[in-house]
């Protein structure tokens, strides 16, 4: 049953009631207009209860050991007294099918803990829809007292750029000595990386990882202009053996301290708020466009014609905008 | 005087009349609705006369020797029998002021040639506006018989991503042994690079350039997933001494041949046409938004409030979308 009383959700979330937190997120993920309206009211009331948490983005391609990393990193943070929420962004998960089920059996140790909360990708929707829901879920979890929020992405799409616009620190997991084909990390992702960590630096792999570390440092130096505020370091770790994990957390805290001291964190978050407004506006404008009956009838054919070169892009766009004014 | 007869422009452009070509571009760059409408009619009629030219994007930060490179590269292409048009994209040029004047005195040798055509950045407007005008100018130049089109960007912004969506090949100019601060090339740009060329590989610099070449090759291998169709090479050249310039042209032709053989070029261009339609739609939707009186009144204050944290992004976006429906 879904209650339509905002107070029910607000009270539940602020009292750190996990069941009501889950229900609130379900509401956020619902595409029913009534649910969305209710969700907006809830989020607006919860926003004043957010702002203190550490917001992290973690990405890495399949095979890099991301689940093990996040699980053991999360458990370490619990040991340090934190409350940890993990949210996944994977717009492809509905296409590939299995991901949601897989998420439930992943991170079993972490998900069994009381002070941890794991939420798989919202199912359905475009990248824009998924990231909007993730952003709103982030704030709700923060209001529910989680003080470290981890947003996990798969490192192969554009999700990372979107996630970077909602976190304080973005960590990219890599492997040592894996062929390029195995890495597959998109170049654009490095643009938003605050640190690289070479995982699986254990056993016979330690020397390879050290070599990879210095290779990546050289590559980043060559290809990436440094910021005056922060130069993304390359770290090594073994999620399996729990080595290097504390260093990564220390790096995140150092980064945080630096950004707070220079006032950068506040600026970053204010910018993120304005960007969020713009992405909501953008989404709203597109929704109105797609909702239009005339557009719905005409769009598939005209897109096809543009692809085939039968209609020019300028004629097509004008015709569609004209339909919108008319319809 | 600006004629309002499309035939005047169509005939002039197809007859390769430079004066009328310039006038047509002025029309494209005009923000007057009547001019824009006329420009759209002209472009739609010219599109069937395009498609055969080699479309290149060339970028590099100030100091890399971009003007000299494009000038001497252009002259070499003229010697090979080509007709070359160079268009600049620099949305910052109106802010920095001097760029348009500088453009006129730049590339003097090339601009004096009959079979070359150089057009500085359209003044004014957002990045979106500048790139839209550049794309349309590209097609008009192609219809006017220019068979190599070079779009030049400054390598520090988002223009490169936009330009990559309208060219066949994207070349990034770099320097050997320059500190990172001097390079300043955005990481995201490498995502769209089809080749890197290390310029100023002359005199004492030759050894440094060779070293830089292998460093960049290693860095690209580490950080960039290879495509099955094309692996971006790292070349060296000296625009000043005209060495390595022919190799770059050969690389462009090899890439072209490969993309034509595999059918990739056709797919790429069809995708670019559909992307173009979407960016026009996007721009059209935003224009309608900004044109609305109620929005114009409310937007500055509400954006400020979101930045200050007084209003939440969700409330702000909803209020603005509501105003749009109402107004």
């Amino acid at each position: 049953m879904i209650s339509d009383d905002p107070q029910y959700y607000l009270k539940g979330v602020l009292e750190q009631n996990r069941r009501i937190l889950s229900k609130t997120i379900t509401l956020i993920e619902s595409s029913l207009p009534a649910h969305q309206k209710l969700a907006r009211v809830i989020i607006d009331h919860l926003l004043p209860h957010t702002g203190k948490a550490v917001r992290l983005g973690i990405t890495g391609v399949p095979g890099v050991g991301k689940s093990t990393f996040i699980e053991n990193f999360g458990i370490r943070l619990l040991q340090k007294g934190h409350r940890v929420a993990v949210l996944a962004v994977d717009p492809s998960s509905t296409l590939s099918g299995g991901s949601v089920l897989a998420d439930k059996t992943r991170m079993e140790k972490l998900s069994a803990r009381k002070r941890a909360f794991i939420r798989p990708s919202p199912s359905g929707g475009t990248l824009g829809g998924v990231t909007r829901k993730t952003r709103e879920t982030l704030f709700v979890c923060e209001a529910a007292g989680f003080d470290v929020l981890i947003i996990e992405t798969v490192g192969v799409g554009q999700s990372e750029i979107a996630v970077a616009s909602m976190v304080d620190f973005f960590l990219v997991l890599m492997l040592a000595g894996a062929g390029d084909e195995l890495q597959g990390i998109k170049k654009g992702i490095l643009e938003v990386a605050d640190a690289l960590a070479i995982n699986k630096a254990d056993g016979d792999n330690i020397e390879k990882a050290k070599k990879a570390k210095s290779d990546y440092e050289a590559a980043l130096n060559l290809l990436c202009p440094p910021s005056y505020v922060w130069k993304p370091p390359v770290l090594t770790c073994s999620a399996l053996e729990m080595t290097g994990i504390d260093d990564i957390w220390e790096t995140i805290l150092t980064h945080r301290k630096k950004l707070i001291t220079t006032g950068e964190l506040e600026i970053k978050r204010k910018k993120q708020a304005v960007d969020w407004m713009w992405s909501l506006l953008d989404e709203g404008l597109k929704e109105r466009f797609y909702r239009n009956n005339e557009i719905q009838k005409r769009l598939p054919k005209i897109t096809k014609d543009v692809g085939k070169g039968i209609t020019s892009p300028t004629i097509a766009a004008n015709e569609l905008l004209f339909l919108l004014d008319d319809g």
Side-chain angles (χ1 to χ4, degrees), chain A:
Chain A
M1 276 301 89
I2 290 207
S3 161
D4 57 4
D5 177 14
Q7 285 307 323
Y8 167 78
Y9 299 99
L10 291 173
K11 195 166 165 286
V13 167
L14 292 174
E15 283 174 352
Q16 314 193 342
N17 180 319
R18 293 171 68 95
R19 207 169 44 85
I20 298 180
L21 172 62
S22 290
K23 278 190 181 180
T24 310
I25 298 172
T26 304
L27 208 61
I28 289 172
E29 292 175 357
S30 166
S31 54
L32 290 179
H35 290 171
Q36 291 199 357
K37 205 176 156 190
L38 183 56
R40 278 200 300 266
V41 173
I42 297 166
I43 292 157
D44 281 321
H45 281 89
L46 290 177
L47 276 181
H49 301 274
T50 67
K52 296 253 183 339
V54 178
R55 303 172 188 161
L56 304 178
I58 298 185
T59 196
V61 293
V64 80
K66 197 163 59 231
S67 298
T68 310
F69 178 86
I70 293 176
E71 175 152 77
N72 289 344
F73 182 63
I75 287 169
R76 192 77 191 89
L77 293 176
L78 295 185
Q79 288 167 355
K80 287 175 189 283
H82 294 287
R83 298 185 71 221
V84 180
V86 180
L87 316 174
V89 174
D90 180 7
S92 68
S93 66
T94 38
L95 293 172
S96 61
S99 163
V100 174
L101 248 181
D103 269 337
K104 287 201 176 163
T105 55
R106 273 175 59 202
M107 305 185 201
E108 271 182 356
K109 279 187 292 170
L110 187 61
S111 59
R113 304 293 180 101
K114 261 195 184 165
R115 285 181 297 118
F117 182 80
I118 297 177
R119 184 83 186 189
S121 294
S123 61
T126 56
L127 171 60
V130 172
T131 51
R132 179 178 56 74
K133 290 166 187 174
T134 302
R135 193 195 295 264
E136 294 174 354
T137 301
L138 174 94
F139 286 102
V140 173
C141 289
E142 212 172 309
F146 292 98
D147 66 342
V148 181
L149 300 147
I150 297 174
I151 305 184
E152 176 194 2
T153 63
V154 289
V156 289
Q158 292 184 287
S159 319
E160 287 68 32
I161 314 298
V163 168
S165 81
M166 52 182 102
V167 298
D168 307 324
F169 191 96
F170 201 87
L171 176 68
V172 179
L173 295 177
M174 307 284 267
L175 283 182
D180 294 329
E181 330 72 51
L182 280 175
Q183 300 268 317
I185 201 102
K186 286 272 179 181
K187 279 166 277 180
I189 293 174
L190 295 167
E191 183 95 19
V192 295
D194 293 301
L196 256 57
I198 297 162
N199 193 22
K200 302 193 182 177
D202 42 40
D204 294 346
N205 237 346
I206 291 181
E207 283 311 307
K208 259 208 279 185
K210 276 189 196 160
K211 169 78 168 60
K213 175 180 149 73
S214 71
D215 287 351
Y216 278 114
E217 278 169 347
L220 283 176
N221 265 332
L222 264 178
L223 296 178
C224 307
S227 141
Y228 287 104
V229 186
W230 184 254
K231 188 178 153 70
V234 182
L235 305 159
T236 60
C237 67
S238 165
L240 207 64
E241 300 188 350
M242 291 294 277
T243 52
I245 302 290
D246 281 342
D247 287 347
I248 291 174
W249 181 241
E250 283 307 315
T251 302
I252 292 166
L253 292 181
T254 305
H255 172 266
R256 187 169 196 77
K257 209 173 152 189
K258 209 159 188 173
L259 260 63
I260 288 173
T261 313
T262 56
E264 281 283 324
L265 189 66
E266 208 190 323
I267 294 168
K268 190 172 186 170
R269 287 189 165 184
K270 280 184 177 173
K271 192 184 168 306
Q272 287 177 346
V274 175
D275 287 352
W276 183 11
M277 181 190 84
W278 280 109
S279 78
L280 287 168
L281 278 175
D282 205 49
E283 210 186 310
L285 292 176
K286 287 206 177 101
E287 255 176 47
R288 294 154 51 93
F289 176 78
Y290 285 116
R291 226 170 34 209
N292 183 293
N293 282 330
E294 297 302 312
I295 301 284
Q296 282 179 10
K297 271 185 255 170
R298 190 75 183 100
L299 190 62
K301 175 82 166 69
I302 212 165
T303 309
K304 218 171 165 181
D305 285 352
V306 169
K308 281 184 185 164
I310 298 170
T311 304
S312 89
T314 48
I315 289 184
N318 281 321
E319 189 188 321
L320 291 168
L321 289 170
F322 181 79
L323 283 177
L324 190 63
D325 281 319
D326 228 40

